[in-house]
Amino acid sequence: MDTTKKEKILSIIILICMGIMAFIALFPILSLLLASFRSSSVLMSEGMTLIFDPAELNLNNYEFIFSEEGMGYWRWYLNSLIISAGVIVFSLFFSSMVGYALALYEFKGRNIIFLLVLVILMIPFEILMLPLYQMMVSGQIIDTYLSVMLPLLVAPVVVFFFRQYCLGLPKELMDSARIDGCSEYGIFFKVMAPLMLPSFAAMAIFQGLISWNNFLWPLVVLRSNDMFTLPVGLATLLTPYGSNYDLLFTGSVLAILPIIILFIFFQRYFISGLTMGGVKG
Amino acid sequence: MNSSLSTPSQQIPPEKKGNKFTSFFNSKKVAPYVFVVPFILSFLILYLYPFVYAIIMSFQQVLPGQTEFIGLQNYERLMNPTFYRAVFNTTIYVICTVIILVVVPLLLAVLLNSRLTKLKILFRTAFFMPALTSVIVAGVIFNMIFSESDSAAANQVLAWIGLDSVDWQYNAVTGMFLMVALASWRWIGVNIMYFLAALQNISDDLYEAADIDGANAFQKFYYVTLPALKPIVIFVSTITIINGFRMFEESFVFWETSSPGNIGLTVVGYIYQAGIQQNDMGFGAAIGVFLMIIILVVSLIQLKFFGAFKKDE
């Protein structure tokens, strides 16, 4: 009897502690949401105040962002959507093929290629950044979607993930497909790829999130306002001299909104996608 | 997703021809090489070439139209107070984030795994949410919570407990606090997931055995949980250290690339400043080589640790 009472008290204490931690985790997101309904000029001069008049809340910022003047923002949104979609489609296509071959075929050089995958996992992107930038300049593809997407197209982490996943697939299926007269490529596309669907989902979310939130590289290669992605565009509004705070808060809310909606539906894939790489998002 | 993948690509030669070329292409021996072609190409073009180029560049003065070898001059130029400041800031940042991002998520994961905790899924989701925001959006929020104005949230809280307002972004200690806080806020949820996965793999038998030996909750944590989590702790620390040395955005959102007295300057920020903003590519590349050496050393230490653990098993 005594221990159950003790446990009950303990569990209430834990509940309170966790509640406080959860509040700390959610407070910034909630305050951003709230800020998007408040007067931007007040926020600029006073910062985010804890106490405010609820009557102050209005939809002006949202009206602004959906008006003519907010068009620049939606251009960034479109750029981010196109780039993320491109990265997801191409990087999943290429990386899954590589991971699949590394896991399920015996061929000369396989171990060397796998070793190379592991080695480039260790090379920080930042050291490749300046040469890559020069290559983009001399290839005259600076300030294009392609220049933003290129470094993400065959990500070693994604190759690694697909390889690990494919190791668990039944090889016998490939043999029986061969007997049925299926070509090697047909086996991949028609027989094995459908079995890899859960890994495609996790990697789509992983690569999508990386590319949606990617900042340093787009900042380096994008030059014109029309080509900016969302993070790069929002960062230009973040200057202390900026006068576009109305765009900044609503724009930030609308930038994370689709991610949060997707997260609610595909939580499992988000978690497996985000935790497998441990790579900066 | 599936439909886009099941459409035959150019890799599949037309079946009708049925000549030697097709059957060669289709053979079990050749197919894997076709599959790995994208990797080989990207390895050569996007990794190997720029990597070698970066090292060569670090010995050059790169100017438009004329590039000349200048030996070790770029590396000699590294010995300047600004670079020391960048390395110092980055190191402090790494130390702080490693401690916070291992200890806090570890404790929260243990609590989330405890049968005494209610509403687990709700808390897990709440902790994970910040990971969905980009650093830029997080920066927007932190900028207004930690604004220098007296009425901003952080300063208001200080006022309630009787402290003076702080100019968060104008002093080295609070500046570092802002960067560490932002990074920790975004990453705690992800690290919780790593630890939770590892905790769920610990066999119940171990705890039962500890119960029989009369161990209390703390002893069980110290003698059963912690040793079982050692590999994942090393893994999470390594990632945090590497990501810490690569930090750029957490500083950019507060000061862009020029902070008062360089309180926010990081190694990658210095690469960006030198290489992109000042177009001093050779010098930027030299900083990059320095960064790579640090990260290589960290990775090798980690590999050694992991290797040691494999032998233990």
Side-chain angles (χ1 to χ4, degrees):
Chain A
M1 282 301 117
D2 204 31
T3 46
T4 51
K5 208 174 180 188
K6 240 187 193 169
E7 281 188 351
K8 241 183 192 163
I9 294 169
L10 198 61
S11 116
I12 290 170
I13 294 173
I14 292 175
L15 200 65
I16 293 170
C17 292
M18 296 296 260
I20 293 171
M21 290 305 288
F23 177 75
I24 294 174
L26 293 179
F27 174 75
I29 297 175
L30 294 175
S31 60
L32 174 71
L33 190 65
L34 214 55
S36 69
F37 293 104
R38 293 174 63 189
S39 154
S40 51
S41 55
V42 174
L43 279 166
M44 188 156 63
S45 57
E46 295 181 5
M48 169 81 197
T49 50
L50 285 173
I51 299 156
F52 62 94
D53 182 7
E56 202 194 299
L57 300 179
N58 60 63
L59 286 171
N60 293 349
N61 295 335
Y62 286 94
E63 275 164 27
F64 182 80
I65 205 167
F66 286 107
S67 74
E68 239 5 53
E69 284 155 289
M71 286 311 281
Y73 171 82
W74 293 106
R75 174 73 211 208
W76 302 336
Y77 215 92
L78 182 71
N79 294 338
S80 270
L81 278 177
I82 294 172
I83 289 169
S84 299
V87 165
I88 291 175
V89 169
F90 290 112
S91 78
L92 260 60
F93 180 72
F94 292 136
S95 309
S96 63
M97 292 196 321
V98 179
Y100 167 78
L102 286 176
L104 297 172
Y105 282 97
E106 308 273 345
F107 59 99
K108 237 187 188 160
R110 180 177 77 161
N111 292 337
I112 294 169
I113 293 173
F114 185 54
L115 191 73
L116 289 180
V117 173
L118 296 179
V119 166
I120 58 179
L121 261 173
M122 280 201 264
I123 297 178
F125 173 75
E126 288 74 11
I127 189 193
L128 307 175
M129 182 174 80
L130 298 180
L132 279 172
Y133 171 71
Q134 284 238 311
M135 287 162 68
M136 304 289 158
V137 171
S138 42
Q140 292 182 341
I141 51 166
I142 208 91
D143 209 20
T144 61
Y145 293 142
L146 183 65
S147 63
V148 181
M149 295 195 294
L150 263 179
L152 289 175
L153 285 193
V154 192
V157 206
V158 182
V159 171
F160 182 78
F161 184 86
F162 277 117
R163 178 206 178 248
Q164 299 306 99
Y165 193 88
C166 288
L167 284 178
L169 296 180
K171 252 183 167 176
E172 306 79 53
L173 276 181
M174 297 168 69
D175 289 329
S176 51
R178 272 184 203 118
I179 294 163
D180 291 345
C182 201
S183 76
E184 294 298 319
Y185 310 97
I187 296 174
F188 175 66
F189 289 109
K190 291 183 197 136
V191 182
M192 302 308 270
L195 296 178
M196 292 160 68
L197 270 186
S199 62
F200 278 118
M203 287 303 95
I205 282 166
F206 175 74
Q207 285 289 73
L209 207 57
I210 289 221
S211 140
W212 187 257
N213 291 340
N214 199 7
F215 181 69
L216 178 55
W217 179 242
L219 178 74
V220 168
V221 287
L222 296 178
R223 286 181 179 166
S224 48
N225 198 62
D226 265 1
M227 291 303 293
F228 284 171
T229 59
L230 267 179
V232 177
L234 286 174
T236 63
L237 302 179
L238 191 56
T239 62
Y241 322 103
S243 52
N244 287 314
Y245 275 46
D246 26 17
L247 261 185
L248 184 59
F249 296 127
T250 44
S252 300
V253 170
L254 294 171
I256 54 173
L257 200 65
I259 311 276
I260 290 181
I261 292 171
L262 282 175
F263 174 69
I264 292 166
F265 288 106
F266 302 105
Q267 224 190 99
R268 197 160 55 91
Y269 296 120
F270 265 87
I271 291 168
S272 60
L274 258 177
T275 47
M276 68 91 209
V279 175
K280 266 170 86 94
Chain B
M1 198 66 54
N2 188 25
S3 63
S4 74
L5 283 166
S6 52
T7 39
S9 74
Q10 66 275 23
Q11 262 91 2
I12 304 177
E15 293 281 336
K16 290 167 207 162
K17 287 184 184 168
N19 54 20
K20 270 180 199 163
F21 180 73
T22 311
S23 59
F24 169 77
F25 220 58
N26 243 332
S27 84
K28 211 172 138 185
K29 286 219 167 92
V30 178
Y33 293 104
V34 177
F35 283 126
V36 295
V37 160
F39 175 76
I40 305 286
L41 284 180
S42 90
F43 172 75
L44 294 175
I45 300 169
L46 297 171
Y47 289 93
L48 187 63
Y49 176 71
F51 183 76
V52 174
Y53 191 7
I55 290 172
I56 294 173
M57 232 159 70
S58 72
F59 296 103
Q60 286 177 331
Q61 186 173 35
V62 186
L63 292 168
Q66 56 171 82
T67 298
E68 52 174 327
F69 275 91
I70 53 166
L72 286 170
Q73 273 184 42
N74 286 325
Y75 290 96
E76 281 161 15
R77 279 174 62 206
L78 279 183
M79 284 172 245
N80 75 71
T82 314
F83 180 68
Y84 294 152
R85 181 82 215 192
V87 175
F88 173 78
N89 287 342
T90 312
T91 311
I92 300 287
Y93 174 85
V94 166
I95 294 170
C96 295
T97 48
V98 155
I99 295 171
I100 295 173
L101 283 174
V102 172
V103 174
V104 178
L106 179 62
L107 293 178
L108 288 174
V110 169
L111 286 178
L112 277 176
N113 201 40
S114 153
R115 71 194 158 81
L116 291 174
T117 307
K118 306 274 183 301
L119 307 171
K120 281 178 191 169
I121 294 173
L122 195 77
F123 286 130
R124 207 184 60 182
T125 309
F127 295 143
F128 197 78
M129 289 286 250
L132 305 175
T133 62
S134 65
V135 183
I136 301 304
V137 170
V140 171
I141 308 171
F142 273 62
N143 263 297
M144 68 184 178
I145 293 179
F146 294 96
S147 140
E148 69 238 45
S149 132
D150 289 341
S151 52
N155 279 336
Q156 253 174 353
V157 172
L158 287 184
W160 286 343
I161 50 176
L163 293 171
D164 286 337
S165 293
V166 171
D167 281 349
W168 297 95
Q169 298 176 24
Y170 295 91
N171 124 13
V173 177
T174 51
M176 180 59 64
F177 167 80
L178 288 182
M179 295 188 282
V180 172
L182 194 150
S184 307
W185 177 70
R186 279 189 70 234
W187 272 100
I188 278 179
V190 176
N191 288 357
I192 286 178
M193 297 303 161
Y194 283 118
F195 289 127
L196 262 184
L199 281 170
Q200 279 152 7
N201 280 337
I202 302 177
S203 139
D204 286 335
D205 300 349
L206 289 175
Y207 289 107
E208 279 164 24
D211 275 332
I212 294 167
D213 290 342
N216 64 31
F218 177 76
Q219 284 170 323
K220 273 190 270 184
F221 176 74
Y222 193 80
Y223 291 107
V224 179
T225 314
L226 270 189
L229 289 183
K230 218 168 173 182
I232 195 78
V233 167
I234 292 172
F235 173 73
V236 170
S237 322
T238 313
I239 298 176
T240 314
I241 293 171
I242 291 178
N243 287 346
F245 278 112
R246 295 175 54 194
M247 191 267 271
F248 168 74
E249 301 168 18
E250 282 83 353
S251 158
F252 188 94
V253 293
F254 292 113
W255 305 280
E256 301 224 337
T257 49
S258 57
S259 50
N262 284 329
I263 57 171
L265 186 69
T266 67
V267 174
V268 174
Y270 202 33
I271 297 180
Y272 182 80
Q273 237 180 46
I276 305 291
Q277 290 185 315
Q278 292 157 10
N279 213 5
D280 194 350
M281 289 271 184
F283 185 51
I287 309 168
V289 170
F290 173 87
L291 176 73
M292 196 199 54
I293 292 170
I294 294 179
I295 288 179
L296 212 65
V297 169
V298 174
S299 306
L300 289 178
I301 293 174
Q302 180 240 14
L303 274 183
K304 208 178 166 224
F305 265 87
F306 265 128
F309 276 108
K310 272 177 194 157
K311 271 174 217 157
D312 278 351
E313 276 161 14

